[in-house]
Amino acid sequence: MTAIQVPGLLTFTIAIVVFFVGSSLNRLITPLQRWNIPEAVTGGMIAALATLIAYKVFGVELSFTLAARDMLLLYFFTGIGLNAKFADLLAGGRPLIVLLVLTLVYLVIQNVIAAGSVAALGLPSGLAPFVGSASLIGGHGTTIAWAPVLSERFGVSNLLEVGIATATLGLVIASLVGGPIAGFLIKRHGLSGPVGETAPVVGLPAEPADKRDDISHVSLLRSILVINVVILVAYGLEDAVEATGIKLPMFVVCLLVAIVATNLVPRLLPRLAWPSRTKGLALISDLALNVFLAMSLMSMQLWTLGELGPALVVILTLQTLAAVAYIIFVVFPAMGRDYLAAVIASGFTGISLGATPTAIANMTAVTKVHGAAARAFIILPLVSAFFIDIANAFAIGFMAR
C-alpha cells in the first residue's frame, strides 16, 4: 500500500477542479438539475469514488491536507452573519422558535432510533451517540470532540472512525435528499418565491436588483477586509467564550460577532461602506461554501467503513427515512406550508443528517431556481449552528451516563 499526502495548495486546486466537474455533470444530467443537487456535491462524490478505486485497485491511499477548509468555513459563516439584520430576526421570531422546537424534538427521536438500532443489531452501546445526534446533528466537529471521552467511558476504540463515517455519509445523504424534498413540496403545493425579492444572501441573483451594486476589486477587497476583521475579533473572544463554560465552534463565534457588527457598525459609522447584502459578499460566500463542500466530500475515505459498513447502512437508512418523514409531515406543516417552509424543509436535511453548510447549500440551490427566501438563511443557521449545539451536548452527556 502506497500512502500519498496531497499538500494544501494542490488540495485546494483539486477542489476547484472537482467543483467544475460537478458543474459540468449537473448541466449534462437533467435529474441532477431537477433535484437541485449542488455542483460541489456531484463532483465531490465522483472524486471520493475515484480515491476508493485508487485504494482498492491500485493500492494507493490518498489523503488531503484540509487546513484551508476550516478558513473557508469561517469565511462562509461570517458572510452569513454580515447579512443578518436584527429587523429580520425580529420579523422571523415565531418561525425561529418553531424551528428550534422542531429540531429539539427531532434530536430526541434521532437518538431513540440510534439506541434502538444499536441494541437490535447487537453493537456496543457506546456506538449509539455516533450513529445518532453526535455525528448526524452534531457533525464532524462534535464527533471529534466527544469520541475520546466516550471511547474511554465505554472502552470502544473505534468510536471516532464510526462517528466520522456516519457524519460523512450523513452529509452526502443530506446533500442528495434536500433538493428533491423541496422540489416535491413546491410542485405538490404550487409554491413559488416572492416576486421582486432578489437580495443576494448566498450567491448572485439572476438579475441585479441594483445596478450600482457592481462587483469590482474594491467591493471584493472591502468584503474580505470586513470578513477578516470579524474573524480576528472572534479569535480574540475565544478565551472569553470558553470561560463561560459553553463550547462553541469558532464558526459560530464568527457568525455571532458578524451579526453584532453588521447591526452596530453601520449605525455608529453611517458613512462607512458596509458589505452587507452586496453581490461582492455573496460571491465570496458562494465560493467559500462550494470549495468547502468539494474538499469535504472528495476527502472521504470510503474504505474505512470496514466490517461496520452493513450495520451503518441499515442504521443510516432508518435515520434517513425518519428524517424525510419528519420533514414532510411535521416540519413543512408546522412552518406554515408556504414557500419559506419548503426552503427550510430542504435545509432541515442538513440539520438532521448533515451539517449547517449542507443545509445552506441545499437552500441556496433551491432559491436560485425558485426565488429568494432571505429569512430562511437567518433562521436556520441560528438554530443549527448555535441553539442545537448546546442541546446536543446535554443529549450526548445523557447517553454517556
Side-chain angles (χ1 to χ4, degrees), residues 79-286:
I80 289 292
L82 291 174
N83 281 323
K85 299 295 181 67
F86 285 147
D88 294 332
L89 296 176
L90 294 174
R94 183 182 178 279
L96 176 65
I97 295 173
V98 171
L99 185 61
L100 176 59
V101 172
L102 292 172
T103 306
L104 292 174
V105 171
Y106 190 74
L107 186 149
V108 175
I109 294 173
Q110 187 171 80
N111 284 327
V112 168
I113 294 172
S117 300
V118 165
L121 294 172
L123 301 174
S125 59
L127 290 176
F130 296 95
V131 292
S133 68
S135 297
L136 293 174
I137 287 178
H140 292 83
T142 303
T143 298
I144 294 170
W146 281 93
V149 177
L150 298 191
S151 290
E152 182 178 353
R153 166 69 177 81
F154 291 101
V156 182
S157 60
N158 64 342
L159 291 186
L160 178 61
E161 288 75 14
V162 172
I164 291 296
T166 302
T168 302
L169 291 174
L171 184 80
V172 175
I173 295 169
S175 300
L176 294 175
V177 303
I181 287 175
F184 166 76
L185 293 172
I186 289 170
K187 182 177 180 180
R188 181 175 182 179
H189 296 276
L191 305 174
S192 62
V195 177
E197 186 177 340
T198 57
V201 177
V202 179
L204 300 178
E207 295 293 336
D210 186 350
K211 295 184 182 296
R212 295 172 298 176
D213 180 19
D214 294 326
I215 294 179
S216 67
H217 67 285
V218 174
S219 65
L220 289 176
L221 285 174
R222 181 186 298 119
S223 298
I224 292 172
L225 175 61
V226 172
I227 289 173
N228 285 354
V229 170
V230 168
I231 293 174
L232 288 171
V233 172
Y235 272 116
L237 294 174
E238 187 174 12
D239 291 339
V241 172
E242 289 183 358
T244 65
I246 301 175
K247 292 188 66 175
L248 293 178
M250 180 50 60
F251 73 85
V252 177
V253 180
C254 289
L255 173 70
L256 296 176
V257 171
I259 290 175
V260 173
T262 205
N263 287 277
L264 184 62
V265 174
R267 292 179 180 273
L268 297 177
L269 303 171
R271 293 187 179 182
L272 179 68
W274 193 252
S276 179
R277 301 192 178 182
T278 61
K279 291 189 292 185
L281 180 61
L283 181 61
I284 293 170
S285 297
D286 214 355

Side-chain angles (χ1 to χ4, degrees), residues 20-34:
F20 281 116
V21 169
S23 179
S24 298
L25 288 174
N26 277 15
R27 286 196 300 269
L28 292 173
I29 303 174
T30 303
L32 296 178
Q33 298 180 31
R34 186 170 63 248

Side-chain angles (χ1 to χ4, degrees), residues 40-85:
V41 172
T42 304
M45 286 303 302
I46 297 298
L49 291 174
T51 59
L52 177 62
I53 292 171
Y55 181 85
K56 292 291 187 181
V57 178
F58 301 105
V60 176
E61 180 178 344
L62 286 171
S63 57
F64 297 92
T65 302
L66 300 174
R69 185 180 64 175
D70 296 336
M71 183 55 65
L72 290 171
L73 189 62
L74 299 185
Y75 258 59
F76 172 72
F77 275 100
T78 301
I80 289 292
L82 291 174
N83 281 323
K85 299 295 181 67

